[in-house]
PDB file of all heavy atoms in Angstrom:
ATOM      1  N   ASP A  19     109.104  97.693 112.614  1.00 82.00           N
ATOM      2  CA  ASP A  19     108.328  98.723 111.911  1.00 82.00           C
ATOM      3  C   ASP A  19     106.829  98.459 112.043  1.00 82.00           C
ATOM      4  O   ASP A  19     106.031  99.387 112.209  1.00 82.00           O
ATOM      5  CB  ASP A  19     108.728  98.764 110.438  1.00 82.00           C
ATOM      6  CG  ASP A  19     110.131  99.317 110.233  1.00 82.00           C
ATOM      7  OD1 ASP A  19     110.579 100.076 111.121  1.00 82.00           O
ATOM      8  OD2 ASP A  19     110.768  99.010 109.212  1.00 82.00           O
ATOM      9  N   ARG A  20     106.449  97.195 111.947  1.00 83.00           N
ATOM     10  CA  ARG A  20     105.025  96.872 112.109  1.00 83.00           C
ATOM     11  C   ARG A  20     104.522  97.270 113.495  1.00 83.00           C
ATOM     12  O   ARG A  20     103.346  97.588 113.674  1.00 83.00           O
ATOM     13  CB  ARG A  20     104.809  95.376 111.900  1.00 83.00           C
ATOM     14  CG  ARG A  20     104.908  94.927 110.461  1.00 83.00           C
ATOM     15  CD  ARG A  20     104.314  93.537 110.292  1.00 83.00           C
ATOM     16  NE  ARG A  20     104.390  93.099 108.905  1.00 83.00           N
ATOM     17  CZ  ARG A  20     105.376  92.387 108.403  1.00 83.00           C
ATOM     18  NH1 ARG A  20     106.369  92.011 109.191  1.00 83.00           N
ATOM     19  NH2 ARG A  20     105.377  92.036 107.136  1.00 83.00           N
ATOM     20  N   LYS A  21     105.409  97.223 114.474  1.00 85.00           N
ATOM     21  CA  LYS A  21     105.019  97.543 115.844  1.00 85.00           C
ATOM     22  C   LYS A  21     104.947  99.045 116.072  1.00 85.00           C
ATOM     23  O   LYS A  21     103.982  99.542 116.682  1.00 85.00           O
ATOM     24  CB  LYS A  21     106.020  96.906 116.817  1.00 85.00           C
ATOM     25  CG  LYS A  21     105.766  97.253 118.270  1.00 85.00           C
ATOM     26  CD  LYS A  21     106.824  96.608 119.166  1.00 85.00           C
ATOM     27  CE  LYS A  21     106.606  96.983 120.638  1.00 85.00           C
ATOM     28  NZ  LYS A  21     107.649  96.377 121.513  1.00 85.00           N
ATOM     29  N   TRP A  22     105.968  99.779 115.602  1.00 88.00           N
ATOM     30  CA  TRP A  22     106.085 101.186 115.970  1.00 88.00           C
ATOM     31  C   TRP A  22     105.467 102.154 114.965  1.00 88.00           C
ATOM     32  O   TRP A  22     105.042 103.259 115.360  1.00 88.00           O
ATOM     33  CB  TRP A  22     107.559 101.550 116.175  1.00 88.00           C
ATOM     34  CG  TRP A  22     108.126 100.936 117.408  1.00 88.00           C
ATOM     35  CD1 TRP A  22     108.940  99.850 117.508  1.00 88.00           C
ATOM     36  CD2 TRP A  22     107.890 101.371 118.755  1.00 88.00           C
ATOM     37  NE1 TRP A  22     109.233  99.566 118.814  1.00 88.00           N
ATOM     38  CE2 TRP A  22     108.600 100.490 119.612  1.00 88.00           C
ATOM     39  CE3 TRP A  22     107.151 102.410 119.317  1.00 88.00           C
ATOM     40  CZ2 TRP A  22     108.586 100.635 120.992  1.00 88.00           C
ATOM     41  CZ3 TRP A  22     107.138 102.546 120.691  1.00 88.00           C
ATOM     42  CH2 TRP A  22     107.842 101.669 121.516  1.00 88.00           C
ATOM     43  N   MET A  23     105.391 101.797 113.701  1.00 90.00           N
ATOM     44  CA  MET A  23     104.853 102.742 112.720  1.00 90.00           C
ATOM     45  C   MET A  23     103.410 103.153 113.008  1.00 90.00           C
ATOM     46  O   MET A  23     103.081 104.346 112.941  1.00 90.00           O
ATOM     47  CB  MET A  23     104.989 102.158 111.309  1.00 90.00           C
ATOM     48  CG  MET A  23     106.386 102.294 110.736  1.00 90.00           C
ATOM     49  SD  MET A  23     106.470 101.752 109.012  1.00 90.00           S
ATOM     50  CE  MET A  23     108.176 102.218 108.634  1.00 90.00           C
ATOM     51  N   PRO A  24     102.505 102.217 113.331  1.00 89.00           N
ATOM     52  CA  PRO A  24     101.144 102.654 113.673  1.00 89.00           C
ATOM     53  C   PRO A  24     101.106 103.592 114.884  1.00 89.00           C
ATOM     54  O   PRO A  24     100.249 104.480 114.960  1.00 89.00           O
ATOM     55  CB  PRO A  24     100.418 101.337 113.971  1.00 89.00           C
ATOM     56  CG  PRO A  24     101.174 100.305 113.195  1.00 89.00           C
ATOM     57  CD  PRO A  24     102.601 100.742 113.277  1.00 89.00           C
ATOM     58  N   ARG A  25     102.042 103.424 115.826  1.00 90.00           N
ATOM     59  CA  ARG A  25     102.060 104.306 117.000  1.00 90.00           C
ATOM     60  C   ARG A  25     102.479 105.727 116.614  1.00 90.00           C
ATOM     61  O   ARG A  25     101.948 106.702 117.158  1.00 90.00           O
ATOM     62  CB  ARG A  25     103.003 103.735 118.058  1.00 90.00           C
ATOM     63  CG  ARG A  25     102.593 102.346 118.544  1.00 90.00           C
ATOM     64  CD  ARG A  25     103.485 101.862 119.677  1.00 90.00           C
ATOM     65  NE  ARG A  25     103.166 100.482 120.064  1.00 90.00           N
ATOM     66  CZ  ARG A  25     103.736  99.835 121.064  1.00 90.00           C
ATOM     67  NH1 ARG A  25     104.686 100.440 121.776  1.00 90.00           N
ATOM     68  NH2 ARG A  25     103.396  98.597 121.345  1.00 90.00           N
ATOM     69  N   TRP A  26     103.444 105.831 115.684  1.00 91.00           N
ATOM     70  CA  TRP A  26     103.842 107.169 115.239  1.00 91.00           C
ATOM     71  C   TRP A  26     102.704 107.841 114.475  1.00 91.00           C
ATOM     72  O   TRP A  26     102.479 109.051 114.629  1.00 91.00           O
ATOM     73  CB  TRP A  26     105.084 107.093 114.368  1.00 91.00           C
ATOM     74  CG  TRP A  26     106.354 106.830 115.111  1.00 91.00           C
ATOM     75  CD1 TRP A  26     107.180 105.749 114.984  1.00 91.00           C
ATOM     76  CD2 TRP A  26     106.952 107.666 116.110  1.00 91.00           C
ATOM     77  NE1 TRP A  26     108.247 105.851 115.842  1.00 91.00           N
ATOM     78  CE2 TRP A  26     108.133 107.034 116.543  1.00 91.00           C
ATOM     79  CE3 TRP A  26     106.597 108.888 116.683  1.00 91.00           C
ATOM     80  CZ2 TRP A  26     108.963 107.567 117.513  1.00 91.00           C
ATOM     81  CZ3 TRP A  26     107.426 109.433 117.663  1.00 91.00           C
ATOM     82  CH2 TRP A  26     108.589 108.776 118.065  1.00 91.00           C
ATOM     83  N   ILE A  27     101.982 107.081 113.666  1.00 89.00           N
ATOM     84  CA  ILE A  27     100.850 107.655 112.934  1.00 89.00           C
ATOM     85  C   ILE A  27      99.743 108.060 113.900  1.00 89.00           C
ATOM     86  O   ILE A  27      99.077 109.091 113.724  1.00 89.00           O
ATOM     87  CB  ILE A  27     100.313 106.642 111.896  1.00 89.00           C
ATOM     88  CG1 ILE A  27     101.401 106.325 110.866  1.00 89.00           C
ATOM     89  CG2 ILE A  27      99.079 107.192 111.199  1.00 89.00           C
ATOM     90  CD1 ILE A  27     101.931 107.525 110.126  1.00 89.00           C
ATOM     91  N   ASP A  28      99.568 107.276 114.960  1.00 89.00           N
ATOM     92  CA  ASP A  28      98.560 107.620 115.976  1.00 89.00           C
ATOM     93  C   ASP A  28      98.915 108.937 116.651  1.00 89.00           C
ATOM     94  O   ASP A  28      98.045 109.773 116.924  1.00 89.00           O
ATOM     95  CB  ASP A  28      98.464 106.484 116.992  1.00 89.00           C
ATOM     96  CG  ASP A  28      97.343 106.719 117.986  1.00 89.00           C
ATOM     97  OD1 ASP A  28      96.264 107.182 117.575  1.00 89.00           O
ATOM     98  OD2 ASP A  28      97.540 106.450 119.183  1.00 89.00           O
ATOM     99  N   GLU A  29     100.222 109.139 116.910  1.00 89.00           N
ATOM    100  CA  GLU A  29     100.642 110.404 117.525  1.00 89.00           C
ATOM    101  C   GLU A  29     100.513 111.558 116.542  1.00 89.00           C
ATOM    102  O   GLU A  29     100.108 112.666 116.921  1.00 89.00           O
ATOM    103  CB  GLU A  29     102.089 110.278 118.006  1.00 89.00           C
ATOM    104  CG  GLU A  29     102.584 111.523 118.734  1.00 89.00           C
ATOM    105  CD  GLU A  29     103.881 111.284 119.479  1.00 89.00           C
ATOM    106  OE1 GLU A  29     104.267 110.109 119.635  1.00 89.00           O
ATOM    107  OE2 GLU A  29     104.497 112.276 119.907  1.00 89.00           O
ATOM    108  N   TYR A  30     100.832 111.305 115.274  1.00 90.00           N
ATOM    109  CA  TYR A  30     100.686 112.348 114.251  1.00 90.00           C
ATOM    110  C   TYR A  30      99.215 112.744 114.102  1.00 90.00           C
ATOM    111  O   TYR A  30      98.893 113.910 113.834  1.00 90.00           O
ATOM    112  CB  TYR A  30     101.245 111.835 112.926  1.00 90.00           C
ATOM    113  CG  TYR A  30     101.046 112.756 111.760  1.00 90.00           C
ATOM    114  CD1 TYR A  30     101.889 113.828 111.542  1.00 90.00           C
ATOM    115  CD2 TYR A  30     100.005 112.547 110.836  1.00 90.00           C
ATOM    116  CE1 TYR A  30     101.719 114.685 110.472  1.00 90.00           C
ATOM    117  CE2 TYR A  30      99.828 113.384 109.754  1.00 90.00           C
ATOM    118  CZ  TYR A  30     100.687 114.458 109.576  1.00 90.00           C
ATOM    119  OH  TYR A  30     100.515 115.308 108.502  1.00 90.00           O
TER     120      TYR A  30
END
Side-chain angles (χ1 to χ4, degrees):
D19 290 335
R20 286 196 179 93
K21 176 181 178 181
W22 289 103
M23 281 186 174
R25 300 185 185 184
W26 285 117
I27 298 302
D28 186 40
E29 183 167 347
Y30 175 81

